[in-house]
Structures are given as structure tokens and as C-alpha cells.
Amino acid sequence: MSIRTCLMTSALALLIAFGAGAASADAALKSPKKVEKSLATFNRVVDHTARLITAKNYTHLLHENDELKEGAEALEKNIAKEPDDFQAKVKPLLEKAEADSQALADAAKAKDDDRLSSAHAALVASVSALIGAFPAAVQPPPGKAKEPKETGPQK
């Protein structure tokens, strides 16, 4: 193989590599810090609702639903300039998290501990799915809460 052929092959390989790098850069979110901040709201709500359920603080659980709605609005705004296919993937996950948060608020209004527990489990799952739909670079650290502990008579 001549030097000219080697140089042409190398140049072509660099162009292909550069093109692939540019394509992956295009796949990055346009507002990664804002998206990460919006997603962190969801983890905070999940963590805080677990503590409030354990404490049977039903009134503040309603405020957490409002907090999640605000986070959802911010997230929608922060991904508005992303490709349509990405938004189409995120939108149903976001709607599910909002619906699960509303179900938790409804259970809090009824002071129904059994419904609260199952609603919180659904919220944990839907928030995990939502956050998992985003690139790892913008995913906030995982929340600390999993499920509220059963509260019953102490022995």
C-alpha cells in the first residue's frame, strides 16, 4: 500500500470518526443542567413523600403533589427544543408520574394508609422509569427513599 493510499484511508477514517462524534454530540440535550435540576425535583418528591407517609403527615403530602407538578412543568419547558421522538418517549412517562402523584394526593386526602403505600410504590416506579429515559449524564443521583416502612404497634 502506498503512502498516499494510507494517508487517504486515515483521513477517511478520521472524517468518519469525526462525523460519528458530531452525531453523538447532537444527541446530547440542549439544556442538560436545567434538565438535571428538573429531574432532581422528582427524586426529592419521592423521598419527601416517603417520610411524610411514615409520619402520617397527610396535609403536606398534598403540597408534594404540587411540587411534582411544578417539576413536570419545568421539565416540559426544558425539553421543548429536543427532538420530537425524544419528547414522544418522555411525555407518557411524565404523565404517568403526574398521575401517580395525584393518586398519592387523593389517598392522602382520604387518609388511607393502604392506598398511600401502593400509590407511593407506583410513584417510585414511574419516577424511576421517567429518569431512566434520560441520558445518564443528566440523571440525578438516586433518591434515598424506597418504600415507607410499615408503621404498627411497637413491641
Side-chain angles (χ1 to χ4, degrees), residues 61-120:
L61 283 165
L62 303 175
H63 298 293
E64 290 303 308
N65 185 41
D66 293 336
E67 192 75 24
L68 188 129
K69 287 177 183 176
E70 289 174 15
E73 287 176 21
L75 184 61
E76 285 179 323
K77 179 182 173 186
N78 292 327
I79 65 168
K81 294 181 181 174
E82 299 303 330
D84 290 341
D85 60 334
F86 180 75
Q87 290 185 50
K89 178 175 86 171
V90 169
K91 185 175 180 172
L93 298 171
L94 184 57
E95 289 172 351
K96 175 76 170 117
E98 288 181 282
D100 290 340
S101 179
Q102 184 61 54
L104 193 136
D106 293 343
K109 284 179 193 172
K111 297 181 180 179
D112 184 335
D113 292 333
D114 291 334
R115 275 181 48 207
L116 276 171
S117 182
S118 62
H120 190 263

Side-chain angles (χ1 to χ4, degrees), residues 1-14:
M1 198 188 279
S2 71
I3 294 177
R4 181 173 188 245
T5 305
C6 287
L7 287 174
M8 293 297 278
T9 305
S10 297
L12 181 59
L14 283 173

